[in-house]
Amino acid sequence: MVIGASLAAAAQAPARLKTPVLPASEFRVTVSEEPASRLPPFAKCTGDAAETLNCRVFTVKLTNLGSHAVWLGGTVCQPVEITFERQVRGQWNWIGGEPQYEACKQPAHTYASSWTNVRLAPGESTTHTGRMLFKGDAFAAYPYAPGATPMRARWKLRGCLEGAPGVNCIEALETAPWPPPIWANEWTSAVSEPFTVVAPPLPQLEAPKLEISLTAEMMDPAKGLADQPEWLSRACRAETAGSMDCVLLRYRVRNTGLLPVSVGHMTCSDESMWPEYRRPGDADWKSPGMKGYDCTMNYMKWDRIDPGSVLEGETIPRFAGAGVDIHPIRAAGAYQIRLSYAPEICVLSVADGFCLTQPQRADKAVSNGVTIRTTAALAEH
């Protein structure tokens, strides 16, 4: 029952069927590539990117093999839900979200109530033609892969079996706000037979090149800094004033190569950046080491850096890498600090890009050393 609906309306709603509402075995999914497609080209599907799997156009066809008519639901901005998978060492792995649909002109405030329903009688089919790009995502999940790639398509089925002939059995559940009950938990999916896509090799691409520079300053917890994030305020407070937890490190990562790149950092367990230190008179740089840490909401975050452009950020030694052991530099005194930097990195297509190369660990870049002097020690814990 939809919350807020009248008893009369609820009585007219179709019976809630146990999942799966639509048996996947009663549908067939087939896929064909459309090299001559007239879909308007996207800005990001030009130049080197044009032949990537992300930009190739496919038509996916769903056929009702069952003996009953069915109703499938969708919206104006998301008429179907199709994902692609690729086979790696015998396992099928998801490689992308819905195909990139044409720009949806539907106003955002009416999106939830703009339903589209498709009726498939036994033997009838419906098709969708589109690319594999993520909607609204500059970093596509699957980078360019030259050679042959085994793939398959998965069509998510949300709908119901028709009861009375010609009567739409799903529309009574399609009510705002999004999602309606049938969208929440009653769905299954039909999968195509494997097919192979062959991509030509790209021209040789220059290896990514990064450099990192560093400056430092001592924060005053009484004054703070403009736009200081909460995590800095928690570390640099009255009782830690003058200590290593009030040393603000500002870094600048510059793309010195000829091609745009995307750099990836884990939001919690990131070890792509790491502090190093030495005391006056020391010849060698040392790592403060690592201790255990807890992670929640851990995912890869990607940032684009164009040739000659800079990615800026700030941190403190304690948070310059996941699980930094601050103990070796907790005592007051003079130190030199520098940052090593080796993120996940890929070369991007030029126009509103996505990865043309498989993301991999970048060659380590090391910043200049900055001299700091702390006047207070940190507590042992």
Side-chain angles (χ1 to χ4, degrees):
M1 181 182 297
V2 179
I3 295 176
S6 67
L7 293 177
Q12 298 173 10
R16 296 293 295 276
L17 303 176
K18 294 182 179 180
T19 303
V21 176
L22 301 175
S25 61
E26 296 188 5
F27 294 87
R28 180 176 62 234
V29 176
T30 55
V31 183
S32 59
E33 190 169 2
E34 305 290 342
S37 171
R38 296 185 179 180
L39 278 181
F42 294 146
K44 62 178 65 176
C45 285
T46 57
D48 290 339
E51 292 299 315
T52 65
L53 295 183
N54 297 328
C55 288
R56 304 276 276 273
V57 178
F58 297 89
T59 291
V60 185
K61 180 179 180 181
L62 179 73
T63 303
N64 179 8
L65 302 179
S67 57
H68 300 280
V70 299
W71 287 84
L72 305 176
T75 68
V76 170
C77 292
Q78 189 180 37
V80 299
E81 292 183 76
I82 300 170
T83 57
F84 287 90
E85 300 169 349
R86 66 166 176 154
Q87 191 175 43
V88 180
R89 294 185 291 276
Q91 300 294 319
W92 288 99
N93 300 318
W94 173 76
I95 61 173
E98 304 91 22
Q100 177 74 56
Y101 307 121
E102 297 306 305
C104 183
K105 304 300 184 182
Q106 191 71 6
H109 65 276
T110 63
Y111 169 71
S113 58
S114 301
W115 309 104
T116 62
N117 297 149
V118 174
R119 181 182 186 270
L120 292 183
E124 289 186 336
S125 302
T126 184
T127 63
H128 177 78
T129 299
R131 297 178 174 89
M132 289 172 50
L133 292 168
F134 271 179
K135 290 185 69 176
D137 194 345
F139 178 78
Y142 184 55
Y144 184 81
T149 300
M151 295 174 56
R152 68 184 186 184
R154 182 179 296 274
W155 191 308
K156 185 173 286 188
L157 304 170
R158 300 187 189 271
C160 54
L161 299 173
E162 184 178 85
V167 176
N168 187 335
C169 58
I170 194 176
E171 64 180 351
L173 294 177
E174 293 176 331
T175 55
W178 173 274
I182 202 165
W183 248 244
N185 59 9
E186 297 188 357
W187 61 272
T188 185
S189 59
V191 182
S192 73
E193 291 294 321
F195 60 97
T196 299
V197 176
V198 179
L202 279 174
Q204 187 66 36
L205 298 174
E206 181 200 46
K209 298 177 183 178
L210 300 176
E211 66 177 24
I212 181 170
S213 58
L214 183 66
T215 59
E217 64 180 284
M218 183 66 73
M219 293 184 288
D220 181 348
K223 297 180 179 178
L225 295 172
D227 302 321
Q228 181 171 307
E230 182 183 355
W231 58 268
L232 277 180
S233 300
R234 291 198 306 268
C236 182
R237 52 194 190 278
E239 54 267 37
T240 60
S243 73
M244 194 62 71
D245 274 357
C246 285
V247 174
L248 183 71
L249 304 175
R250 297 187 187 274
Y251 59 87
R252 293 166 53 88
V253 178
R254 181 180 297 277
N255 178 2
T256 59
L258 301 177
L259 299 172
V261 299
S262 187
V263 293
H265 310 89
M266 299 301 295
T267 56
C268 178
S269 63
D270 190 48
E271 298 175 15
S272 61
M273 184 177 290
W274 199 257
E276 297 175 348
Y277 75 97
R278 65 183 179 186
R279 302 296 297 266
D282 291 346
D284 298 325
W285 291 89
K286 302 175 184 178
S287 168
M290 179 184 291
K291 63 179 182 180
Y293 57 91
D294 296 324
C295 267
T296 58
M297 295 295 290
N298 195 28
Y299 62 92
M300 186 73 78
K301 179 179 180 295
W302 294 90
D303 293 291
R304 176 181 177 126
I305 314 178
D306 287 311
S309 295
V310 170
L311 175 68
E312 296 182 322
E314 57 187 27
T315 187
I316 60 176
R318 181 188 296 274
F319 298 134
V324 172
D325 182 3
I326 203 71
H327 182 80
I329 52 177
R330 56 171 292 277
Y335 297 87
Q336 272 194 312
I337 301 288
R338 71 182 186 183
L339 296 177
S340 64
Y341 184 62
E344 291 290 307
I345 193 169
C346 70
V347 175
L348 291 176
S349 59
V350 174
D352 193 18
F354 52 85
C355 281
L356 295 176
T357 59
Q358 183 73 36
Q360 59 185 355
R361 184 69 68 178
D363 293 336
K364 184 170 74 172
V366 180
S367 77
N368 56 296
V370 293
T371 300
I372 59 175
R373 179 176 294 277
T374 58
T375 58
L378 285 171
E380 287 283 351
H381 60 278

